[in-house]
Amino acid sequence: MAARVTFLALLLCLSTTVIRAEDPYLFFTWNVTYGTISPLGVPQQGILINNEFPGPNINSTTNNNIVINVFNNLDEPLLFSWNGIQHRKNSWQDGMPGTNCPIQPGKNFTYHFQVKDQIGSYFYFPSTAFHKAAGGFGGLRVNSRLLIPVPFADPEDDYQVIIGDWYTKSHSTLRKILDGGRSINRPDGVLINGKSGNGTDEPLFTMKPGKTYRYRICNVGIKTSLNFRIQGHMMKLVEMDGSHVVQNTYDALDIHVGQCLSVLVTADKTPKDYHMVASTRFIKQVFTTTATIRYEGSNIPASPELPEGPTGIVYSLNQFRSFRWNLTASAARPNPQGSYHYGGINITRTIKIVNSASTVDGKLRYGINGVSHTNPETPLKLAEYYQVPEKVFKYDTISDEPTPESADKITVQPNVVNATFRDFVEIVFENHEKSIQSWHLDGYSFFAVAIEAGKWTPEKRKNYNLLDAVSRHTIQVYPGCWAAIMLTFDNAGMWNLRSNLWERYYLGQQLYVSVTSPARSLRDEYNIPDNAELCGIVKDLPKPPPYTI
């Protein structure tokens, strides 16, 4: 009898251990250095992670804890941000200049965040200075747990494709151009996974005849929308920016700066080599690059005749309208994605954002509603947490409805919008310029409900998709058009809303949204991490009382 009691007690103990176990941890050590790279045939200084360009892919599963110890061996301060990862209650890990003190040269910092309830394709990048123009970026995938079905069969393999425009000038030279008041103008070429092989390199990927493969494609570039296609093959779109979508088939897909999507490609053609093609969109000079996909066992070279890319805005706009959220698919939790009926929620606030370009003291600046953001020495989040925001910035320097004067005159200062916790908001982006824009919001996914030509008015709401707009974190705005998104500000923190076009971001076309919980509760937001770097006016201040349950 005693042995039976002991055995039952042991079982109970084991059961308790399993129930209380933490989600798995993934540990990484990154040594960030300069190195000579020649992606367009011109030797230049690049940013390498563990001697890799692009950087290593992060392959994780939803709910994993990711721990990355970054050693900064550059000669400048450095931060990394995780494009599309929401960091629920944890903007401390967002890695933006408004949330974190940078990692100083010769120092290290450990990021620790959880990819909570997110399944999909993302990327990371350096958010300081103009480092993104030199590399330091790579893919970040979040896979589904085994018990959560995805709406397609497991592919034979899962491939990461990093595309983007590229400049042969160094990041420091490009920054000097911008600091001097000028634009960096057009890029010098396009890269696929850090190369512009144009068919001369070894095959990038291999496919077995008859098998289906997943390609995760991210545009990590500086300013140019790209079109992606695969010679002779159709692509079935299955996911974008972390959401499963209705599975339409395309022969080419526009991917705007900051966006990621996943396609399924079946190796159902004659076994030989085929070209991937990435080409620029919406600029006068078209740059094209290729990479090779080889059917296993084949030695027949790819045809030199490349599939032509699309032209015009209408093609891209119609493609956007074809994207639909897959309401029958499971999300990160085992319930349908469409169980959140966003179309039935009352809008509590409308924020209209108009991008503009102007000169301040003879130098080019980009603004939002007449304000061009500048980063103070003290990160905004730290100033707010230490309860001294008035010494660093002012809230709501822009109004929710831009004034006519804001289109012509730009003021340079920190740009922080004060949001009410759990408000359901509508944000409208109006683009009065002749170039395409791309916008991203950290900390959230939003519903991309509409893009149309002209100017927005409240009557335009009747054209919104209020049923199955894709939940995503980026949206493009075509020249002379507007775009509308909807979301609930339910993730407490300080979150960056920015232009994905990096010269615009660098020269002020960004703002931060402050979302604070009045309860100061751990249910809503985590405390500052013990290893957080302190800088600016908070460096020697006593730590505020911690949040509690």
Side-chain angles (χ1 to χ4, degrees), residues 130 178 183-184 222-223 366 501-507:
F130 212 64
L178 295 173
S183 170
I184 59 174
I222 296 298
K223 66 184 298 183
Y366 295 101
L501 312 187
W502 223 237
E503 67 174 336
R504 287 179 168 264
Y505 161 82
Y506 181 79
L507 292 181

Side-chain angles (χ1 to χ4, degrees), residues 83-125:
N83 201 69
I85 300 301
Q86 293 180 19
H87 303 293
R88 302 296 298 181
K89 307 192 296 183
N90 197 18
S91 64
W92 304 111
Q93 305 297 328
D94 198 32
M96 296 300 294
T99 56
N100 297 89
C101 298
I103 310 167
Q104 295 300 315
K107 302 293 185 181
N108 69 300
F109 176 77
T110 301
Y111 290 93
H112 179 191
F113 57 91
Q114 190 175 26
V115 285
K116 184 72 174 175
D117 295 338
Q118 291 187 262
I119 298 170
S121 309
Y122 310 92
F123 66 89
Y124 60 84
F125 67 94

Side-chain angles (χ1 to χ4, degrees), residues 57 122 139-141 158-162 193 205 216-218:
N57 290 322
Y122 310 92
L140 197 171
R141 70 181 59 167
D158 194 326
Y159 293 139
Q160 182 72 58
V161 184
I162 299 291
N193 284 14
F205 303 113
R216 300 174 187 258
I217 311 147
C218 294

Side-chain angles (χ1 to χ4, degrees), residues 152-161 205-217 230 233-238 262-268 276 293-296:
F152 50 87
D154 288 343
E156 179 70 14
D157 211 335
D158 194 326
Y159 293 139
Q160 182 72 58
V161 184
F205 303 113
T206 300
M207 299 198 296
K208 297 177 182 177
K211 299 296 184 180
T212 298
Y213 294 79
R214 180 174 184 171
Y215 289 87
R216 300 174 187 258
I217 311 147
I230 299 177
H233 291 72
M234 300 298 288
M235 300 178 290
K236 181 182 289 185
L237 183 65
V238 294
S262 291
V263 297
L264 297 179
V265 178
T266 300
D268 56 1
M276 287 178 166
I293 299 173
R294 172 164 294 171
Y295 274 53
E296 190 174 89

